[in-house]
Amino acid sequence: MQRTLESSFRQEYPGTFEILFAVEDPHDPAIAVVNELLTRYPKIAARILVGQDNVGINPKVNNMLKAFDQAQSDLLWICDSNVYTDPGTLRRSVDLMLDDRRIGVVHHVVFSESPDTLGAMLDNAFLVTNHCRMYLAINSFGVASCLMGKSNLYYKSALDSVGGLASFGQYLAEDNMIGQALWRSGWKHTMTGDLARQPTDIDSFSEYCRRRIRWVRVRKYNVTVATLYEPFTESIVLGLLTAWALHRLYALDIISTFSTFFSCWFALDMLFFYRINHGPPPSWLWFVVSWLCREVLALPLWIAAIFGNTVMWRGQKFRLHINGTVDVVK
């Protein structure tokens, strides 16, 4: 946590900025880490805001509202506490915002690192290949809003124009809903080449499965068409369809065709990871094993997510509604 929080203090930004740490619990051990950083960087305007405003079921929104209301600048960088960003991230993001006033949000692709359990390795394999690839592709073509709320720079006034931060407290995926609201209002989305690096924090295989099911199930109501199409962006489903089609058209052997397709997909994913990471993973063996497991699990987890309308999050059970809102299951 010290490394991730310190990255905010180390931003090489030519103008002035303030850092607001939003903490729900006055006994949160993160406060001690922040106080140490405040002592180490006395020239940077930073302070801790304790407590939350209960405007909905989303604990992140509830936690951020005090900081949102007290932020003095119209430019607002919302960055999760477990995210590390390079020192030039803020400067490059602000430059993009100021170059084109139609841009309402600058965001950064999430890159997972330092997995140390099987569940963490599976999540790492998902985030740094499939998720990262699709996230970059959708945003490069600009066909729709595709936003993950780990590290986003907004105009505070733009958020106010679509109802304000508090209005998104009724959703679990507030980042997605904010992005869609800004998109529909004509605000452009763009990205810098920076990564929002986060250490993986999944302890077990079952936790990984629950997380994937939870967020697919949430997306089912927020971005229905994209979620239903999702299996056709996966290597196994697409490979089987390709092998079947080429067998029907040209009598090619299904097993050989699928093996070739799957091997090429794997090679491209490895190349993609190497380019994004600027180097190899700590262990190619573990990365390959977790990648294979992730690919095999993709369709079963998607099916499990589609058939259901409740999720567990932070020890609480929620029921999802077709309009994207949720309520607590007593």
Side-chain angles (χ1 to χ4, degrees):
M1 177 166 283
Q2 184 171 3
R3 175 176 177 259
T4 58
L5 295 183
E6 188 174 15
S7 68
S8 296
F9 288 89
R10 298 180 64 248
Q11 291 300 310
E12 297 167 351
Y13 185 68
T16 59
F17 65 93
E18 62 172 346
I19 306 174
L20 302 178
F21 293 96
V23 183
E24 175 185 341
D25 185 353
H27 302 293
D28 193 317
I31 293 177
V33 178
V34 175
N35 282 327
E36 183 180 341
L37 292 171
L38 294 178
T39 303
R40 189 181 305 175
Y41 297 91
K43 295 183 179 180
I44 294 180
R47 53 198 170 102
I48 303 172
L49 301 175
V50 180
Q52 66 172 4
D53 298 316
N54 292 309
V55 297
I57 56 86
N58 189 305
K60 180 177 177 179
V61 172
N62 291 338
N63 186 42
M64 289 192 300
L65 276 175
K66 278 185 169 55
F68 182 82
D69 292 338
Q70 295 188 35
Q72 298 180 26
S73 173
D74 191 35
L75 281 176
L76 189 69
W77 185 13
I78 297 178
C79 190
D80 282 6
S81 60
N82 67 337
V83 165
Y84 172 88
T85 52
D86 291 327
T89 303
L90 177 60
R91 173 176 50 81
R92 287 185 286 268
S93 301
V94 172
D95 283 346
L96 284 179
M97 295 285 270
L98 299 182
D99 284 346
D100 187 347
R101 290 290 182 171
R102 294 173 298 172
I103 294 174
V105 55
V106 175
H107 54 122
H108 313 108
V109 66
V110 176
F111 191 83
S112 176
E113 58 183 19
S114 306
D116 56 4
T117 66
L118 176 59
M121 290 175 184
L122 289 169
D123 197 53
N124 176 259
F126 166 72
L127 285 172
V128 301
T129 56
N130 177 276
H131 178 272
C132 190
R133 172 169 26 87
M134 294 303 298
Y135 195 88
L136 290 173
I138 293 170
N139 281 289
S140 294
F141 284 100
V143 295
S145 170
C146 182
L147 195 66
M148 193 170 181
K150 286 290 182 180
S151 176
N152 300 333
L153 182 70
Y154 303 98
Y155 283 115
K156 190 177 178 182
S157 55
L159 288 177
D160 285 333
S161 72
V162 294
L165 183 62
S167 66
F168 297 96
Q170 60 186 319
Y171 306 104
L172 282 185
E174 85 294 331
D175 49 0
N176 187 288
M177 302 307 291
I178 288 173
Q180 289 190 50
L182 292 172
W183 183 273
R184 289 193 297 267
S185 297
W187 291 99
K188 294 168 58 178
H189 299 11
T190 192
M191 303 174 67
T192 68
D194 298 286
L195 299 176
R197 294 182 177 269
Q198 67 166 27
T200 50
D201 59 350
I202 296 180
D203 294 329
S204 65
F205 172 79
S206 59
E207 186 181 351
Y208 166 78
C209 293
R210 288 194 299 270
R211 177 177 288 189
R212 293 273 62 82
I213 290 173
R214 177 172 69 243
W215 292 119
V216 171
R217 195 167 282 177
V218 169
R219 289 202 309 274
K220 177 180 68 174
Y221 295 103
N222 293 338
V223 281
T224 304
V225 174
T227 304
L228 295 177
Y229 182 75
E230 191 171 302
F232 300 99
T233 68
E234 295 284 359
S235 60
I236 292 180
V237 172
L238 205 54
L240 289 173
L241 288 173
T242 300
W244 174 80
L246 292 178
H247 175 74
R248 295 278 295 180
L249 291 172
Y250 305 110
L252 297 183
D253 181 70
I254 289 180
I255 295 177
S256 299
T257 304
F258 175 78
S259 299
T260 302
F261 181 97
F262 193 69
S263 298
C264 291
W265 191 286
F266 166 78
L268 289 172
D269 258 2
M270 295 304 99
L271 177 62
F272 177 81
F273 171 82
Y274 195 93
R275 292 294 302 274
I276 292 292
N277 190 54
H278 301 294
S283 168
W284 274 116
L285 175 61
W286 279 107
F287 190 82
V288 170
V289 170
S290 59
W291 182 89
L292 288 170
C293 291
R294 208 294 307 177
E295 298 296 307
V296 171
L297 286 168
L299 184 60
L301 292 179
W302 180 87
I303 293 173
I306 289 299
F307 295 100
N309 67 343
T310 60
V311 296
M312 291 292 297
W313 192 38
R314 298 189 180 187
Q316 180 65 62
K317 190 174 184 179
F318 298 94
R319 180 178 291 105
L320 304 163
H321 300 292
I322 196 168
N323 64 353
T325 61
V326 299
D327 57 40
V328 177
V329 177
K330 302 295 185 180

